Amino acid sequence: MTRYLAGRLGQFLIVVGGALLVVFILLYAIADPARTMLPVGTPDNVVADFRARYGFDQPLLVQLGTFFAKAVHFDFGESLWQGGSAIGSVLAHLPATLLIAIPAVVLGAAAGLVLGTVAARRPDSGLAQALNVFAYGVISVAEFWVGLMLILIFAVIMGWLPTGGYDPKPATLVLPVLVLAMKPFAQIFQLTQSTMVTEYGKQYVMAARAKGLGEVAVAREHVIRNAAIPVVTLGFYELGRVFVGTAVIVEVVFAWPGIGRLAVGALEHGDVFLVQAIVAVAAIVVAGLNLGADLLYFRLDPRTRSVLKGGS
Amino acid sequence: MTVGSLLGSLRRQPVIAVAAIVAAVLLILAVAYPLLTHVDPNGSQLRLRLQPPSWLGGEGLLGTDQLGRDLWTRILFGLRTSFLVSIGACVVGAVVGTAVGLAAGYFGGKLDAVLMRITDIQLSFPALLLAMLVVGLLGKGIWLLVLILGLSTWMIFARVIRSAVLQIRSTELVVSSTSIGATRTRIVLRHVLPNVLGPLAALVALEFARIMLAEASLSFLGFGVEPPGISLGAILAGGRDYLQSQWWIATFAGLFLALAVLSTNLVGSWLQRVVDPTRVTT
């Protein structure tokens, strides 16, 4: 048990450290940070001064050492584009992303869970097949296209909702949350359906029915409890995926000032310090959510505990 | 599984059959049209900018964009880019992933542990952000894009191939080959590899669809294909500013992307069910 926790925590640190190492290699070893940050055509002596000021003229290993020494204290330098500390700028943009990411995953997971259960009860029914085709459609369309089409229909043509922009009113949240909820919904729907179908085929279901339990009780007391475990953990993974994947696209489409749009701007401006702060925060959030998912799995499924106790 | 029995199974699944036809038609259009057309996809005619489709009284089959370029032509060139990038990235991902998966699954031990830990780490790190980072720092180019997207997918191939190899390794086929003195390389290449081609084919189709979306997303954000290269994502990004009045630009570009991705996804999921009823999952 303790060994398992220590191992998982170690993996968390490896992922975060690995992400920082990759960023360091990209920013400092493969690309030239001074040339990335300064405008094209900057005179050589200015570039040299700049290098000396930020220590880019030091040997790479020394730079790597300082980079990690500062990273441990969440010091990633000053953002040249935004002004102020890079990490401060990232943290200031974090709530906006969470404001759409969390409701989106909750909504997607809830809808996926309910509809997945419905589809699993009668896998061959017309409704189940329609839901499956819908889920495939949702997985196959680009979020930015759906976002634009929703803007076209509900904002431009109908005029019911704003086209975008940041304003924590329910109306501005509707479209970004809906678009962000698409992929988690489809993933969780498919997983719920397949695990529920498997669970319904197991003998304990027959036993529960044989002792006279009604269908609702069979589902609520037995099947859902077993099927929910992978579904809940997938929800955590999906939140991580939404947070740094789809959120970037949705924030650009809806002009939403979260860290996804900040990342696009930081890269466009060649703001090396801001880029490394964003990657660090993204890696911590995503690895943290994955860690949370694993621990939750461990908590919810007694079988993993007995295996670990007996095994190591 | 023979081609004949595959086609037979298709006949019983009309939705998949339609998807396969749509995918084939789009592929043929994307390959043949750019070769045959005389219309320059980058040739702008400012006099004809932002024209609606001809069936709405405008110009060209699907209208023109903000620089007066023919949208139908541009969409098919963009589709060609989508297919090209996805094929390239799938080849990179499948080759690297299959090699890693075969090695990890067949040889096991420390090698397996290290390789699988690496796939874990990369799987948990957001591919989109990483791709944006590489493109933003190293520059835009179609081959760099192929490489990045290929390297964003190899872990999934490695996982699936590894678990397929683990199943095959303990079968009599491999045991008997070992007993008559076949070398390990020979067993892997002659006996194990042919047996994982089924799951591999299904996975290629599914990853192909995913990569098409990833390329479009990157190009939409401005971190993908650059002019004069043409991408559906970039066409959509251009159409975004004209959504209010010139809805056809974003609508049609996205529609073709959705058709291409949905049809390959459906074919892929069907292939996965057919070649491997027990579902080797990641």
PDB file of all heavy atoms in Angstrom, chain A residues 155-189:
ATOM      1  N   ALA A 155     -25.669  32.536 -31.915  1.00  0.00           N
ATOM      2  CA  ALA A 155     -25.308  33.928 -31.669  1.00  0.00           C
ATOM      3  C   ALA A 155     -25.635  34.799 -32.876  1.00  0.00           C
ATOM      4  O   ALA A 155     -26.270  35.837 -32.749  1.00  0.00           O
ATOM      5  CB  ALA A 155     -23.820  34.025 -31.323  1.00  0.00           C
ATOM      6  N   VAL A 156     -25.222  34.346 -34.070  1.00  0.00           N
ATOM      7  CA  VAL A 156     -25.394  35.206 -35.248  1.00  0.00           C
ATOM      8  C   VAL A 156     -26.833  35.158 -35.751  1.00  0.00           C
ATOM      9  O   VAL A 156     -27.478  36.190 -35.904  1.00  0.00           O
ATOM     10  CB  VAL A 156     -24.410  34.788 -36.365  1.00  0.00           C
ATOM     11  CG1 VAL A 156     -24.638  35.633 -37.610  1.00  0.00           C
ATOM     12  CG2 VAL A 156     -22.972  34.950 -35.881  1.00  0.00           C
ATOM     13  N   ILE A 157     -27.351  33.957 -35.984  1.00  0.00           N
ATOM     14  CA  ILE A 157     -28.686  33.851 -36.588  1.00  0.00           C
ATOM     15  C   ILE A 157     -29.788  34.097 -35.552  1.00  0.00           C
ATOM     16  O   ILE A 157     -30.649  34.963 -35.725  1.00  0.00           O
ATOM     17  CB  ILE A 157     -28.874  32.478 -37.272  1.00  0.00           C
ATOM     18  CG1 ILE A 157     -27.848  32.322 -38.400  1.00  0.00           C
ATOM     19  CG2 ILE A 157     -30.291  32.348 -37.828  1.00  0.00           C
ATOM     20  CD1 ILE A 157     -27.862  30.965 -39.076  1.00  0.00           C
ATOM     21  N   MET A 158     -29.759  33.325 -34.436  1.00  0.00           N
ATOM     22  CA  MET A 158     -30.817  33.452 -33.440  1.00  0.00           C
ATOM     23  C   MET A 158     -30.617  34.663 -32.524  1.00  0.00           C
ATOM     24  O   MET A 158     -31.587  35.237 -32.051  1.00  0.00           O
ATOM     25  CB  MET A 158     -30.867  32.196 -32.555  1.00  0.00           C
ATOM     26  CG  MET A 158     -30.995  30.902 -33.323  1.00  0.00           C
ATOM     27  SD  MET A 158     -32.649  30.711 -34.011  1.00  0.00           S
ATOM     28  CE  MET A 158     -32.609  28.995 -34.474  1.00  0.00           C
ATOM     29  N   GLY A 159     -29.351  34.973 -32.257  1.00  0.00           N
ATOM     30  CA  GLY A 159     -29.072  36.093 -31.371  1.00  0.00           C
ATOM     31  C   GLY A 159     -29.381  35.822 -29.905  1.00  0.00           C
ATOM     32  O   GLY A 159     -29.558  36.743 -29.115  1.00  0.00           O
ATOM     33  N   TRP A 160     -29.448  34.540 -29.522  1.00  0.00           N
ATOM     34  CA  TRP A 160     -29.786  34.214 -28.137  1.00  0.00           C
ATOM     35  C   TRP A 160     -28.596  34.341 -27.194  1.00  0.00           C
ATOM     36  O   TRP A 160     -28.741  34.644 -26.025  1.00  0.00           O
ATOM     37  CB  TRP A 160     -30.303  32.764 -28.057  1.00  0.00           C
ATOM     38  CG  TRP A 160     -31.633  32.577 -28.703  1.00  0.00           C
ATOM     39  CD1 TRP A 160     -32.520  33.554 -29.043  1.00  0.00           C
ATOM     40  CD2 TRP A 160     -32.221  31.347 -29.107  1.00  0.00           C
ATOM     41  NE1 TRP A 160     -33.630  33.013 -29.630  1.00  0.00           N
ATOM     42  CE2 TRP A 160     -33.482  31.655 -29.678  1.00  0.00           C
ATOM     43  CE3 TRP A 160     -31.814  30.008 -29.031  1.00  0.00           C
ATOM     44  CZ2 TRP A 160     -34.329  30.684 -30.174  1.00  0.00           C
ATOM     45  CZ3 TRP A 160     -32.664  29.037 -29.524  1.00  0.00           C
ATOM     46  CH2 TRP A 160     -33.911  29.368 -30.096  1.00  0.00           C
ATOM     47  N   LEU A 161     -27.422  34.029 -27.708  1.00  0.00           N
ATOM     48  CA  LEU A 161     -26.244  33.956 -26.847  1.00  0.00           C
ATOM     49  C   LEU A 161     -25.135  34.835 -27.418  1.00  0.00           C
ATOM     50  O   LEU A 161     -25.099  35.084 -28.618  1.00  0.00           O
ATOM     51  CB  LEU A 161     -25.742  32.500 -26.762  1.00  0.00           C
ATOM     52  CG  LEU A 161     -26.698  31.490 -26.129  1.00  0.00           C
ATOM     53  CD1 LEU A 161     -26.241  30.075 -26.428  1.00  0.00           C
ATOM     54  CD2 LEU A 161     -26.783  31.719 -24.635  1.00  0.00           C
ATOM     55  N   PRO A 162     -24.213  35.301 -26.565  1.00  0.00           N
ATOM     56  CA  PRO A 162     -23.097  36.100 -27.085  1.00  0.00           C
ATOM     57  C   PRO A 162     -22.127  35.227 -27.904  1.00  0.00           C
ATOM     58  O   PRO A 162     -22.077  34.007 -27.729  1.00  0.00           O
ATOM     59  CB  PRO A 162     -22.427  36.618 -25.806  1.00  0.00           C
ATOM     60  CG  PRO A 162     -22.856  35.716 -24.728  1.00  0.00           C
ATOM     61  CD  PRO A 162     -24.195  35.162 -25.112  1.00  0.00           C
ATOM     62  N   THR A 163     -21.352  35.862 -28.799  1.00  0.00           N
ATOM     63  CA  THR A 163     -20.449  35.099 -29.653  1.00  0.00           C
ATOM     64  C   THR A 163     -19.195  34.665 -28.886  1.00  0.00           C
ATOM     65  O   THR A 163     -18.476  33.799 -29.342  1.00  0.00           O
ATOM     66  CB  THR A 163     -19.984  35.925 -30.858  1.00  0.00           C
ATOM     67  OG1 THR A 163     -19.405  37.137 -30.360  1.00  0.00           O
ATOM     68  CG2 THR A 163     -21.131  36.258 -31.774  1.00  0.00           C
ATOM     69  N   GLY A 164     -18.913  35.280 -27.766  1.00  0.00           N
ATOM     70  CA  GLY A 164     -17.722  34.905 -27.018  1.00  0.00           C
ATOM     71  C   GLY A 164     -17.343  36.025 -26.082  1.00  0.00           C
ATOM     72  O   GLY A 164     -18.123  36.947 -25.839  1.00  0.00           O
ATOM     73  N   GLY A 165     -16.114  35.944 -25.548  1.00  0.00           N
ATOM     74  CA  GLY A 165     -15.659  36.962 -24.617  1.00  0.00           C
ATOM     75  C   GLY A 165     -15.858  36.489 -23.196  1.00  0.00           C
ATOM     76  O   GLY A 165     -16.617  35.551 -22.937  1.00  0.00           O
ATOM     77  N   TYR A 166     -15.143  37.130 -22.276  1.00  0.00           N
ATOM     78  CA  TYR A 166     -15.153  36.674 -20.893  1.00  0.00           C
ATOM     79  C   TYR A 166     -16.103  37.508 -20.077  1.00  0.00           C
ATOM     80  O   TYR A 166     -16.015  38.728 -20.033  1.00  0.00           O
ATOM     81  CB  TYR A 166     -13.753  36.771 -20.308  1.00  0.00           C
ATOM     82  CG  TYR A 166     -13.675  36.264 -18.892  1.00  0.00           C
ATOM     83  CD1 TYR A 166     -13.816  34.917 -18.621  1.00  0.00           C
ATOM     84  CD2 TYR A 166     -13.441  37.142 -17.835  1.00  0.00           C
ATOM     85  CE1 TYR A 166     -13.740  34.439 -17.330  1.00  0.00           C
ATOM     86  CE2 TYR A 166     -13.358  36.672 -16.538  1.00  0.00           C
ATOM     87  CZ  TYR A 166     -13.517  35.315 -16.290  1.00  0.00           C
ATOM     88  OH  TYR A 166     -13.431  34.844 -15.018  1.00  0.00           O
ATOM     89  N   ASP A 167     -17.016  36.839 -19.458  1.00  0.00           N
ATOM     90  CA  ASP A 167     -18.019  37.504 -18.645  1.00  0.00           C
ATOM     91  C   ASP A 167     -18.661  36.373 -17.868  1.00  0.00           C
ATOM     92  O   ASP A 167     -19.363  35.559 -18.457  1.00  0.00           O
ATOM     93  CB  ASP A 167     -19.030  38.187 -19.586  1.00  0.00           C
ATOM     94  CG  ASP A 167     -19.958  39.109 -18.817  1.00  0.00           C
ATOM     95  OD1 ASP A 167     -19.778  39.227 -17.590  1.00  0.00           O
ATOM     96  OD2 ASP A 167     -20.862  39.693 -19.442  1.00  0.00           O
ATOM     97  N   PRO A 168     -18.391  36.266 -16.581  1.00  0.00           N
ATOM     98  CA  PRO A 168     -18.887  35.076 -15.886  1.00  0.00           C
ATOM     99  C   PRO A 168     -20.400  35.081 -15.684  1.00  0.00           C
ATOM    100  O   PRO A 168     -20.898  34.908 -14.586  1.00  0.00           O
ATOM    101  CB  PRO A 168     -18.123  35.086 -14.554  1.00  0.00           C
ATOM    102  CG  PRO A 168     -17.497  36.403 -14.445  1.00  0.00           C
ATOM    103  CD  PRO A 168     -17.626  37.143 -15.725  1.00  0.00           C
ATOM    104  N   LYS A 169     -21.128  35.316 -16.761  1.00  0.00           N
ATOM    105  CA  LYS A 169     -22.580  35.193 -16.731  1.00  0.00           C
ATOM    106  C   LYS A 169     -22.926  33.829 -17.303  1.00  0.00           C
ATOM    107  O   LYS A 169     -22.209  33.337 -18.163  1.00  0.00           O
ATOM    108  CB  LYS A 169     -23.213  36.282 -17.619  1.00  0.00           C
ATOM    109  CG  LYS A 169     -23.498  37.571 -16.903  1.00  0.00           C
ATOM    110  CD  LYS A 169     -24.341  38.487 -17.776  1.00  0.00           C
ATOM    111  CE  LYS A 169     -23.826  38.550 -19.199  1.00  0.00           C
ATOM    112  NZ  LYS A 169     -24.391  39.633 -19.995  1.00  0.00           N
ATOM    113  N   PRO A 170     -24.013  33.238 -16.877  1.00  0.00           N
ATOM    114  CA  PRO A 170     -24.344  31.907 -17.416  1.00  0.00           C
ATOM    115  C   PRO A 170     -24.401  31.883 -18.939  1.00  0.00           C
ATOM    116  O   PRO A 170     -23.940  30.949 -19.558  1.00  0.00           O
ATOM    117  CB  PRO A 170     -25.726  31.629 -16.806  1.00  0.00           C
ATOM    118  CG  PRO A 170     -25.773  32.454 -15.586  1.00  0.00           C
ATOM    119  CD  PRO A 170     -24.927  33.664 -15.832  1.00  0.00           C
ATOM    120  N   ALA A 171     -24.924  32.936 -19.567  1.00  0.00           N
ATOM    121  CA  ALA A 171     -25.116  32.921 -21.011  1.00  0.00           C
ATOM    122  C   ALA A 171     -23.806  32.759 -21.779  1.00  0.00           C
ATOM    123  O   ALA A 171     -23.740  32.051 -22.780  1.00  0.00           O
ATOM    124  CB  ALA A 171     -25.833  34.196 -21.458  1.00  0.00           C
ATOM    125  N   THR A 172     -22.716  33.411 -21.295  1.00  0.00           N
ATOM    126  CA  THR A 172     -21.448  33.295 -22.020  1.00  0.00           C
ATOM    127  C   THR A 172     -20.826  31.927 -21.828  1.00  0.00           C
ATOM    128  O   THR A 172     -19.986  31.508 -22.604  1.00  0.00           O
ATOM    129  CB  THR A 172     -20.423  34.343 -21.539  1.00  0.00           C
ATOM    130  OG1 THR A 172     -20.355  34.273 -20.122  1.00  0.00           O
ATOM    131  CG2 THR A 172     -20.770  35.723 -21.983  1.00  0.00           C
ATOM    132  N   LEU A 173     -21.230  31.234 -20.754  1.00  0.00           N
ATOM    133  CA  LEU A 173     -20.627  29.939 -20.465  1.00  0.00           C
ATOM    134  C   LEU A 173     -21.228  28.818 -21.313  1.00  0.00           C
ATOM    135  O   LEU A 173     -20.575  27.816 -21.559  1.00  0.00           O
ATOM    136  CB  LEU A 173     -20.814  29.582 -18.984  1.00  0.00           C
ATOM    137  CG  LEU A 173     -19.960  30.358 -17.991  1.00  0.00           C
ATOM    138  CD1 LEU A 173     -20.420  30.071 -16.570  1.00  0.00           C
ATOM    139  CD2 LEU A 173     -18.508  29.974 -18.142  1.00  0.00           C
ATOM    140  N   VAL A 174     -22.455  29.010 -21.768  1.00  0.00           N
ATOM    141  CA  VAL A 174     -23.188  27.898 -22.388  1.00  0.00           C
ATOM    142  C   VAL A 174     -22.416  27.256 -23.535  1.00  0.00           C
ATOM    143  O   VAL A 174     -22.129  26.056 -23.514  1.00  0.00           O
ATOM    144  CB  VAL A 174     -24.574  28.376 -22.887  1.00  0.00           C
ATOM    145  CG1 VAL A 174     -25.270  27.270 -23.651  1.00  0.00           C
ATOM    146  CG2 VAL A 174     -25.421  28.813 -21.702  1.00  0.00           C
ATOM    147  N   LEU A 175     -22.058  28.053 -24.538  1.00  0.00           N
ATOM    148  CA  LEU A 175     -21.442  27.464 -25.726  1.00  0.00           C
ATOM    149  C   LEU A 175     -20.052  26.873 -25.451  1.00  0.00           C
ATOM    150  O   LEU A 175     -19.801  25.725 -25.833  1.00  0.00           O
ATOM    151  CB  LEU A 175     -21.401  28.485 -26.869  1.00  0.00           C
ATOM    152  CG  LEU A 175     -22.771  28.895 -27.427  1.00  0.00           C
ATOM    153  CD1 LEU A 175     -22.601  29.863 -28.577  1.00  0.00           C
ATOM    154  CD2 LEU A 175     -23.571  27.685 -27.865  1.00  0.00           C
ATOM    155  N   PRO A 176     -19.132  27.591 -24.786  1.00  0.00           N
ATOM    156  CA  PRO A 176     -17.823  26.975 -24.522  1.00  0.00           C
ATOM    157  C   PRO A 176     -17.946  25.674 -23.723  1.00  0.00           C
ATOM    158  O   PRO A 176     -17.267  24.689 -24.037  1.00  0.00           O
ATOM    159  CB  PRO A 176     -17.079  28.035 -23.701  1.00  0.00           C
ATOM    160  CG  PRO A 176     -17.765  29.304 -23.951  1.00  0.00           C
ATOM    161  CD  PRO A 176     -19.174  28.998 -24.336  1.00  0.00           C
ATOM    162  N   VAL A 177     -18.824  25.661 -22.722  1.00  0.00           N
ATOM    163  CA  VAL A 177     -18.973  24.452 -21.905  1.00  0.00           C
ATOM    164  C   VAL A 177     -19.523  23.302 -22.743  1.00  0.00           C
ATOM    165  O   VAL A 177     -19.036  22.172 -22.675  1.00  0.00           O
ATOM    166  CB  VAL A 177     -19.863  24.732 -20.674  1.00  0.00           C
ATOM    167  CG1 VAL A 177     -20.263  23.436 -19.989  1.00  0.00           C
ATOM    168  CG2 VAL A 177     -19.132  25.634 -19.689  1.00  0.00           C
ATOM    169  N   LEU A 178     -20.527  23.614 -23.582  1.00  0.00           N
ATOM    170  CA  LEU A 178     -21.096  22.567 -24.438  1.00  0.00           C
ATOM    171  C   LEU A 178     -20.035  21.949 -25.343  1.00  0.00           C
ATOM    172  O   LEU A 178     -19.932  20.727 -25.462  1.00  0.00           O
ATOM    173  CB  LEU A 178     -22.205  23.162 -25.313  1.00  0.00           C
ATOM    174  CG  LEU A 178     -23.629  23.055 -24.793  1.00  0.00           C
ATOM    175  CD1 LEU A 178     -24.591  23.593 -25.838  1.00  0.00           C
ATOM    176  CD2 LEU A 178     -23.966  21.600 -24.480  1.00  0.00           C
ATOM    177  N   VAL A 179     -19.239  22.799 -25.982  1.00  0.00           N
ATOM    178  CA  VAL A 179     -18.233  22.288 -26.914  1.00  0.00           C
ATOM    179  C   VAL A 179     -17.178  21.479 -26.167  1.00  0.00           C
ATOM    180  O   VAL A 179     -16.759  20.412 -26.605  1.00  0.00           O
ATOM    181  CB  VAL A 179     -17.585  23.449 -27.698  1.00  0.00           C
ATOM    182  CG1 VAL A 179     -16.472  22.925 -28.589  1.00  0.00           C
ATOM    183  CG2 VAL A 179     -18.632  24.155 -28.540  1.00  0.00           C
ATOM    184  N   LEU A 180     -16.769  21.977 -25.001  1.00  0.00           N
ATOM    185  CA  LEU A 180     -15.763  21.255 -24.213  1.00  0.00           C
ATOM    186  C   LEU A 180     -16.303  19.922 -23.701  1.00  0.00           C
ATOM    187  O   LEU A 180     -15.551  18.983 -23.480  1.00  0.00           O
ATOM    188  CB  LEU A 180     -15.326  22.094 -23.007  1.00  0.00           C
ATOM    189  CG  LEU A 180     -14.135  23.011 -23.160  1.00  0.00           C
ATOM    190  CD1 LEU A 180     -13.829  23.671 -21.841  1.00  0.00           C
ATOM    191  CD2 LEU A 180     -12.918  22.258 -23.658  1.00  0.00           C
ATOM    192  N   ALA A 181     -17.613  19.836 -23.495  1.00  0.00           N
ATOM    193  CA  ALA A 181     -18.204  18.621 -22.929  1.00  0.00           C
ATOM    194  C   ALA A 181     -18.306  17.491 -23.959  1.00  0.00           C
ATOM    195  O   ALA A 181     -18.505  16.341 -23.593  1.00  0.00           O
ATOM    196  CB  ALA A 181     -19.583  18.926 -22.352  1.00  0.00           C
ATOM    197  N   MET A 182     -18.143  17.833 -25.253  1.00  0.00           N
ATOM    198  CA  MET A 182     -18.355  16.832 -26.311  1.00  0.00           C
ATOM    199  C   MET A 182     -17.514  15.576 -26.150  1.00  0.00           C
ATOM    200  O   MET A 182     -18.037  14.460 -26.097  1.00  0.00           O
ATOM    201  CB  MET A 182     -18.012  17.452 -27.679  1.00  0.00           C
ATOM    202  CG  MET A 182     -19.034  18.408 -28.211  1.00  0.00           C
ATOM    203  SD  MET A 182     -18.379  19.344 -29.617  1.00  0.00           S
ATOM    204  CE  MET A 182     -17.518  18.102 -30.545  1.00  0.00           C
ATOM    205  N   LYS A 183     -16.191  15.741 -26.114  1.00  0.00           N
ATOM    206  CA  LYS A 183     -15.310  14.574 -26.095  1.00  0.00           C
ATOM    207  C   LYS A 183     -15.454  13.763 -24.806  1.00  0.00           C
ATOM    208  O   LYS A 183     -15.571  12.546 -24.873  1.00  0.00           O
ATOM    209  CB  LYS A 183     -13.845  14.989 -26.323  1.00  0.00           C
ATOM    210  CG  LYS A 183     -13.609  15.613 -27.683  1.00  0.00           C
ATOM    211  CD  LYS A 183     -13.393  14.592 -28.796  1.00  0.00           C
ATOM    212  CE  LYS A 183     -13.918  15.107 -30.105  1.00  0.00           C
ATOM    213  NZ  LYS A 183     -12.930  15.528 -31.085  1.00  0.00           N
ATOM    214  N   PRO A 184     -15.459  14.423 -23.616  1.00  0.00           N
ATOM    215  CA  PRO A 184     -15.687  13.625 -22.395  1.00  0.00           C
ATOM    216  C   PRO A 184     -16.994  12.853 -22.458  1.00  0.00           C
ATOM    217  O   PRO A 184     -17.052  11.689 -22.058  1.00  0.00           O
ATOM    218  CB  PRO A 184     -15.733  14.678 -21.281  1.00  0.00           C
ATOM    219  CG  PRO A 184     -15.002  15.829 -21.809  1.00  0.00           C
ATOM    220  CD  PRO A 184     -15.180  15.829 -23.285  1.00  0.00           C
ATOM    221  N   PHE A 185     -18.048  13.481 -22.982  1.00  0.00           N
ATOM    222  CA  PHE A 185     -19.325  12.786 -23.090  1.00  0.00           C
ATOM    223  C   PHE A 185     -19.168  11.514 -23.917  1.00  0.00           C
ATOM    224  O   PHE A 185     -19.551  10.419 -23.491  1.00  0.00           O
ATOM    225  CB  PHE A 185     -20.396  13.688 -23.735  1.00  0.00           C
ATOM    226  CG  PHE A 185     -21.537  12.906 -24.305  1.00  0.00           C
ATOM    227  CD1 PHE A 185     -22.464  12.306 -23.466  1.00  0.00           C
ATOM    228  CD2 PHE A 185     -21.652  12.703 -25.669  1.00  0.00           C
ATOM    229  CE1 PHE A 185     -23.497  11.540 -23.985  1.00  0.00           C
ATOM    230  CE2 PHE A 185     -22.673  11.940 -26.203  1.00  0.00           C
ATOM    231  CZ  PHE A 185     -23.599  11.348 -25.352  1.00  0.00           C
ATOM    232  N   ALA A 186     -18.570  11.647 -25.109  1.00  0.00           N
ATOM    233  CA  ALA A 186     -18.478  10.495 -26.006  1.00  0.00           C
ATOM    234  C   ALA A 186     -17.610   9.388 -25.394  1.00  0.00           C
ATOM    235  O   ALA A 186     -17.963   8.210 -25.441  1.00  0.00           O
ATOM    236  CB  ALA A 186     -17.923  10.928 -27.358  1.00  0.00           C
ATOM    237  N   GLN A 187     -16.491   9.788 -24.803  1.00  0.00           N
ATOM    238  CA  GLN A 187     -15.595   8.787 -24.205  1.00  0.00           C
ATOM    239  C   GLN A 187     -16.301   8.042 -23.078  1.00  0.00           C
ATOM    240  O   GLN A 187     -16.241   6.826 -22.974  1.00  0.00           O
ATOM    241  CB  GLN A 187     -14.339   9.469 -23.631  1.00  0.00           C
ATOM    242  CG  GLN A 187     -13.507  10.209 -24.649  1.00  0.00           C
ATOM    243  CD  GLN A 187     -12.618   9.287 -25.452  1.00  0.00           C
ATOM    244  OE1 GLN A 187     -12.585   8.092 -25.195  1.00  0.00           O
ATOM    245  NE2 GLN A 187     -11.930   9.813 -26.432  1.00  0.00           N
ATOM    246  N   ILE A 188     -16.962   8.819 -22.197  1.00  0.00           N
ATOM    247  CA  ILE A 188     -17.582   8.204 -21.028  1.00  0.00           C
ATOM    248  C   ILE A 188     -18.807   7.404 -21.425  1.00  0.00           C
ATOM    249  O   ILE A 188     -19.071   6.337 -20.884  1.00  0.00           O
ATOM    250  CB  ILE A 188     -17.870   9.277 -19.953  1.00  0.00           C
ATOM    251  CG1 ILE A 188     -16.524   9.665 -19.336  1.00  0.00           C
ATOM    252  CG2 ILE A 188     -18.835   8.767 -18.884  1.00  0.00           C
ATOM    253  CD1 ILE A 188     -16.562  10.792 -18.385  1.00  0.00           C
ATOM    254  N   PHE A 189     -19.525   7.882 -22.427  1.00  0.00           N
ATOM    255  CA  PHE A 189     -20.660   7.115 -22.946  1.00  0.00           C
ATOM    256  C   PHE A 189     -20.187   5.750 -23.436  1.00  0.00           C
ATOM    257  O   PHE A 189     -20.743   4.710 -23.071  1.00  0.00           O
ATOM    258  CB  PHE A 189     -21.340   7.881 -24.087  1.00  0.00           C
ATOM    259  CG  PHE A 189     -22.323   7.052 -24.861  1.00  0.00           C
ATOM    260  CD1 PHE A 189     -23.591   6.826 -24.360  1.00  0.00           C
ATOM    261  CD2 PHE A 189     -21.967   6.467 -26.061  1.00  0.00           C
ATOM    262  CE1 PHE A 189     -24.500   6.045 -25.056  1.00  0.00           C
ATOM    263  CE2 PHE A 189     -22.863   5.679 -26.769  1.00  0.00           C
ATOM    264  CZ  PHE A 189     -24.128   5.463 -26.260  1.00  0.00           C
TER     265      PHE A 189
END
